[in-house]
């Protein structure tokens, strides 16, 4: 079966998560993604929290890519890179401000070599504007984008959201923009430059909050709501009462309220005057919460989810990161795949969520540093083994079987 993006070739100069998540999405859809890394260190995401080349963080965001090690700071390395450019449709980077300019591989340089090139840049604040020179990470984008301001309890401080939406949420938009530009390139024969700011990308996920604030008058910021909605919508405790033994129940219609009361065997709540109307349920929120919690405390979070979900009451159990691997729904739909990594052994990875009937790309483990240097340069540039060995010995290139000489340390310029 052919993959959707068969034929698209991507030069990937991304690191950590925002850019790498975008290029990984392209790889999962069938693009040939060649990750250009520095000899000796590579993507600093390789060593996050472990100090090893195959950190789980790196394996998570770099499957289905090939790794080529070129020292772009060396004139010979830069020349090799520029010779690769005509063989590719897309170039992607998310280095810190000024790094690409210092290497002199900007859009004008690459477009002069390959007018069809799609040149995508992902930065914390974009390439123009008063903040363009500022560095950023996921948490900075989430704070600046407004995510902190609407997260947490109403009477508490702003709170950092847990998922890395600032990074991976921007990466998905990057992949979409590149795919759209590729379709246009196929139609017109021309490439283009894509400039994406994490700060701006995050606002896409804030639009519902903006609309609710505007509907309320627009003169005050959207508030923090905590876990509660219109009562009895809330997060409820479940046995055995561990830190993640909770279920979220959401009731938004009269029918759902009726069904909830019947399903938890509390029809008396329907006749209770304190809960007869939505405004009364909100006014007596604490009393109603305790009545529902009596039932949830007698069940596990998955039991609550199964019982209420089957009855037609929207409910979700509070899944933690260990629940993914044992959830029967995820198992049946094949969300989890086991792949073999050359150094890490068998690892479980989550596939790309969309299921496409006419496109399927098996997950491949993230590459070892420089694993495909010889393969790519031989195929694209016709370099023979002796030429590659000579360049490796002089430090211009690197492959896994060549001593690296330098320990892997995070790049001080790695912030986007």
């Amino acid at each position: 079966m052919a993959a959707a993006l068969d034929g698209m070739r991507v030069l990937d100069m991304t690191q950590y998560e925002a850019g790498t998540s975008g290029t990984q999405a392209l790889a999962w859809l069938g693009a040939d993604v060649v990750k250009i890394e520095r000899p000796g260190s590579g993507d600093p995401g390789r060593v996050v929290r472990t100090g090893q080349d195959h950190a789980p963080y790196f394996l998570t965001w770099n499957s289905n890519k090939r790794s080529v090690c070129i020292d772009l700071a060396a004139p010979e390395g830069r020349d090799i890179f520029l010779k690769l450019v005509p063989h590719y449709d897309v170039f992607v980077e998310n280095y810190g401000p000024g790094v690409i300019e210092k290497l002199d591989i900007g859009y004008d340089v690459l477009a002069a070599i390959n007018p069809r090139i799609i040149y995508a840049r992902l930065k914390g604040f974009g390439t123009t504007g008063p903040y363009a020179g500022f560095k950023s990470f996921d948490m900075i984008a989430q704070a600046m984008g407004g995510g902190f301001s609407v997260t947490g309890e109403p009477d508490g401080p702003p709170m950092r959201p847990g998922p890395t939406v600032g990074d991976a949420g921007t990466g998905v938009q990057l992949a979409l923009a590149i795919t759209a530009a590729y379709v246009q390139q196929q139609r017109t024969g021309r490439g283009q430059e894509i400039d994406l700011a994490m700060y701006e990308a995050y606002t896409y996920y804030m639009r519902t909050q903006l609309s609710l604030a505007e509907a309320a008058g627009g003169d005050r910021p959207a508030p923090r709501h905590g876990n509660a909605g219109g009562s009895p919508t809330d997060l409820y405790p479940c046995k055995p009462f561990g830190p993640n033994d909770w279920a979220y129940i959401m009731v938004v219609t009269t029918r759902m309220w009726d069904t909830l009361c019947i399903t938890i065997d509390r029809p008396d709540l329907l006749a209770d005057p304190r809960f007869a109307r939505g405004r009364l349920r909100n006014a007596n929120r604490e009393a109603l919460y305790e009545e529902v919690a009596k039932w949830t405390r007698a069940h596990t979070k998955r039991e609550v989810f199964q019982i209420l979900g089957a009855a037609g009451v929207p409910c979700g159990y509070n899944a933690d990161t260990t629940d993914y691997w044992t959830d029967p729904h995820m198992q049946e739909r094949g969300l989890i795949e086991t792949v073999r990594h050359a150094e890490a052994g068998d690892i479980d990875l989550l596939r790309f969520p969309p299921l496409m009937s006419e496109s399927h790309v098996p997950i491949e483990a993230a590459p070892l540093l420089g694993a495909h240097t010889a393969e790519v340069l031989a195929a694209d540039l016709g370099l023979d083994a002796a030429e590659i060995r000579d360049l490796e010995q002089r430090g211009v290139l690197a492959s896994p079987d060549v001593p690296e000489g330098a320990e892997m340390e995070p790049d001080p310029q790695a912030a986007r």
Side-chain angles (χ1 to χ4, degrees), residues 137-149 159-161 199 202:
F137 286 97
D138 170 83
M139 295 74 74
I140 308 304
Q142 295 215 51
M144 292 289 293
F148 281 50
S149 73
M159 184 176 294
R160 170 189 167 187
Y199 173 31
Y202 197 87

Side-chain angles (χ1 to χ4, degrees), residues 232-316:
T233 295
D234 216 323
L235 191 67
Y236 291 89
C238 304
K239 68 177 187 181
F241 312 111
N244 287 308
D245 289 318
W246 299 77
Y248 194 79
I249 301 171
M250 189 166 184
V251 174
V252 297
T253 68
T254 300
R255 175 175 292 184
M256 292 176 187
W257 163 243
D258 293 346
T259 304
L260 173 66
C261 295
I262 298 301
T263 304
I264 67 173
D265 198 24
R266 290 298 305 276
D268 57 297
L269 297 177
L270 296 172
D272 193 317
R274 297 174 298 170
F275 313 134
R277 299 275 190 277
R279 60 179 179 81
L280 294 172
R281 291 193 285 273
N282 286 331
N284 295 284
R285 173 183 298 279
E286 292 183 6
L288 180 53
Y289 182 91
E290 284 306 313
E291 296 295 346
V292 176
K294 290 177 184 177
W295 181 79
T296 63
R297 290 189 183 104
H299 299 81
T300 67
K301 63 184 182 182
R302 292 198 185 192
E303 289 171 346
V304 170
F305 166 66
Q306 290 283 356
I307 294 169
L308 294 184
V313 178
C315 177

Side-chain angles (χ1 to χ4, degrees), residues 311-347:
V313 178
C315 177
Y317 71 83
N318 179 49
D320 59 37
T321 53
T322 66
D323 284 312
Y324 286 174
W325 316 116
T326 58
D327 184 276
H329 191 81
M330 290 187 178
Q331 294 284 347
E332 184 172 320
R333 287 176 57 83
L335 184 69
I336 301 159
E337 294 190 23
T338 301
V339 300
R340 172 61 61 91
H341 184 269
E343 292 186 355
D346 287 343
I347 56 174

Side-chain angles (χ1 to χ4, degrees), residues 96-98 123-135 416:
K123 305 291 181 187
F125 298 99
T127 62
T128 61
Y131 309 151
F134 297 178
K135 296 180 180 180
R416 295 169 291 282

Side-chain angles (χ1 to χ4, degrees), residues 49-205:
R49 295 196 177 184
T50 68
Q52 298 177 324
D53 179 43
H54 51 275
Y57 180 84
F58 182 83
L59 300 181
T60 294
W61 292 113
N62 289 279
S63 58
N64 289 70
K65 301 179 184 180
R66 297 193 286 169
S67 174
V68 171
C69 280
I70 305 176
D71 182 4
L72 296 181
E76 283 182 289
R78 179 177 179 273
D79 184 58
I80 289 171
F81 171 78
L82 293 179
K83 288 178 180 177
L84 286 172
V85 170
H87 298 271
Y88 290 80
D89 302 286
V90 182
F91 169 79
V92 189
E93 67 93 6
N94 73 316
Y95 279 77
V99 174
I100 292 299
E101 287 75 15
K102 184 177 180 180
L103 293 171
D104 191 23
I105 54 172
Y107 176 60
D108 56 340
V109 175
L110 270 59
I113 300 170
N114 179 7
R116 293 173 56 89
I117 198 73
I118 297 163
Y119 192 105
R121 311 192 71 182
L122 188 156
K123 305 291 181 187
F125 298 99
T127 62
T128 61
Y131 309 151
F134 297 178
K135 296 180 180 180
S136 181
F137 286 97
D138 170 83
M139 295 74 74
I140 308 304
Q142 295 215 51
M144 292 289 293
F148 281 50
S149 73
V150 296
T151 306
E153 293 299 325
D155 57 351
M159 184 176 294
R160 170 189 167 187
T164 51
V165 179
D167 270 344
T170 304
V172 170
Q173 294 182 40
L174 177 72
L176 176 60
I178 290 171
T179 303
Y182 182 68
V183 171
Q184 188 174 10
Q185 179 216 62
Q186 299 299 296
R187 188 172 65 246
T188 67
R190 297 180 59 186
Q192 60 186 288
E193 186 174 11
I194 298 170
D195 180 355
L196 180 60
M198 295 167 64
Y199 173 31
E200 295 167 358
Y202 197 87
T203 66
Y204 182 85
Y205 307 104

